[in-house]
Amino acid sequence: LISCYWFLRENLEKHGVCIRVLGDLNMLPLDLQQVIAKAVIMTKNHNKCFLNVCFAYTSRYEITNAVREMASGVEQGLIKASDVSEALLSECLYSNNSPNPDLLIRTSGEVRLSDFLLWQ
C-alpha cells in the first residue's frame, strides 16, 4: 500500500495533476474525508491537468451553495449587493480554480448532462 501511494504521488507530481473533489463530502466517513483532503492539499499547486471527482454532486446544490456564500458576504458587509456578478458566482463554485471541463466521463453509463456541471 505504501509503495502504491508513492507511485501515485510521483505520477501526480510528474504530470502536474491537481485533484479536486466536488460535492458534499460531509456524507463520507471522516477517515475518507481526511484522505481526500490530503490528496487535494498535496496536489493543490499542480496546474497541468485537473482531475475533478464529483461525489454527491448536483449543479443545483453547487449553485445554491455559491449563492448562499455570496448572500452571507453581503450580510456580513464583506461585499456589496452590486458586487454580485457571474464572475463572483463562478469564484464561489466548487470548481473555482479549475478550467471548464474538456472531457466529461460519467461512470454510471448515463450519456445526458441532466444536473451535472451545468454552469461550467
Side-chain angles (χ1 to χ4, degrees), residues 41-55:
I41 290 169
M42 178 180 71
T43 64
K44 71 179 182 178
N45 294 321
H46 299 173
N47 59 9
K48 292 180 186 172
C49 180
F50 295 88
L51 175 61
N52 292 321
V53 180
C54 297
F55 178 83

Side-chain angles (χ1 to χ4, degrees), residues 66-87:
V67 170
R68 276 194 200 117
E69 191 173 320
M70 290 186 300
S72 176
V74 171
E75 287 175 354
Q76 294 176 27
L78 301 172
I79 61 172
K80 297 179 283 188
S82 60
D83 293 332
V84 174
S85 64
E86 286 184 27

Side-chain angles (χ1 to χ4, degrees), residues 9-67:
R9 183 176 182 156
E10 286 178 16
N11 276 299
L12 291 173
E13 288 178 16
K14 175 182 172 184
H15 297 288
V17 177
C18 177
I19 297 175
R20 310 283 312 268
V21 180
L22 316 177
D24 187 2
L25 299 182
N26 293 320
M27 296 178 69
L28 295 172
L30 185 57
D31 59 338
L32 188 51
Q33 289 180 40
Q34 292 170 341
V35 169
I36 290 170
K38 286 178 185 177
V40 169
I41 290 169
M42 178 180 71
T43 64
K44 71 179 182 178
N45 294 321
H46 299 173
N47 59 9
K48 292 180 186 172
C49 180
F50 295 88
L51 175 61
N52 292 321
V53 180
C54 297
F55 178 83
Y57 168 89
T58 68
S59 290
R60 291 177 187 194
Y61 187 77
E62 177 181 30
I63 293 168
T64 300
N65 280 339
V67 170

